[in-house]
């Protein structure tokens, strides 16, 4: 595996949400919210989530695309946590991203089967890392 970069994660809330006017939030601010994804994907939320502590977590529908998830957020069905780049790509006028001060970053990495030892794999990973470094430097 070769780590390429880390980026912040943000929480997506509907425009009229009680937290929508904040500049940022904390995970504790989100404890009473319904997360529209696997709690293990956001362990910081999982550890404080009131719906998990009470055992009354509503069922989360099967979601296949980011657009579906954001549609549910816009409808007030819950919140979701996304990498900042994803939130910036999938913009909607009825949903806003909020930085979460105490949420760990998302890591983007290349991974491959360890048994594959082709120099081409290592060269590709190095080229990807170098390209990203040049993009960030420029």
């Amino acid at each position: 595996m070769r780590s390429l970069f880390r980026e912040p994660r943000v929480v997506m809330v509907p425009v009229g949400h009680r937290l929508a006017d904040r500049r940022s939030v904390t995970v504790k601010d989100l404890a009473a919210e319904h997360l529209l994804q696997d709690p293990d994907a956001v362990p910081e939320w999982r550890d404080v989530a009131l719906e998990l502590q009470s055992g009354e977590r509503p069922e989360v529908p099967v979601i296949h695309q980011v657009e579906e998830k954001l549609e549910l957020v816009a409808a007030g069905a819950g919140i979701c946590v996304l990498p900042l780049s994803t939130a910036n790509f999938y913009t909607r006028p009825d949903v806003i991203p909020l930085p979460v001060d105490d949420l760990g970053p998302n890591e983007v990495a290349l991974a491959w089967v360890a048994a594959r030892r082709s120099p081409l794999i290592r060269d590709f990973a190095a080229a990807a890392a170098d390209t990203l470094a040049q993009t960030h430097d420029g």
Side-chain angles (χ1 to χ4, degrees):
M1 181 178 89
R2 172 116 187 212
S3 180
L4 296 177
F5 63 93
R6 292 175 179 245
E7 67 177 317
R9 292 185 292 166
V10 295
V11 64
M12 305 301 290
V13 300
V15 169
H17 191 273
R18 66 183 177 83
L19 300 171
D21 62 345
R22 299 262 200 96
R23 293 183 64 109
S24 67
V25 296
T26 65
V27 173
K28 189 173 180 179
D29 293 330
L30 305 173
E33 302 296 328
H34 176 57
L35 186 70
L36 295 170
Q37 57 205 109
D38 182 343
D40 290 336
V42 189
E44 300 91 339
W45 175 86
R46 179 200 60 212
D47 295 344
V48 300
L50 299 180
E51 67 183 37
L52 293 179
Q53 292 172 5
S54 70
E56 297 178 11
R57 178 166 164 79
E59 188 172 329
V60 175
V62 176
I63 301 170
H64 298 285
Q65 299 174 353
V66 174
E67 291 96 338
E68 291 176 63
K69 194 177 288 187
L70 294 178
E71 185 69 29
L72 289 167
V73 171
I79 62 168
C80 70
V81 174
L82 297 174
L84 181 58
S85 61
T86 303
N88 287 339
F89 184 80
Y90 292 97
T91 60
R92 294 177 55 116
D94 51 358
V95 176
I96 60 168
L98 292 174
V100 184
D101 295 333
D102 50 352
L103 193 61
N106 183 62
E107 182 172 352
V108 176
L110 290 174
W112 57 90
V113 177
R116 302 210 41 209
R117 302 198 183 278
S118 168
L120 293 174
I121 294 170
R122 288 189 304 279
D123 291 348
F124 177 81
D130 291 346
T131 301
L132 280 170
Q134 290 172 11
T135 301
H136 290 297
D137 290 344

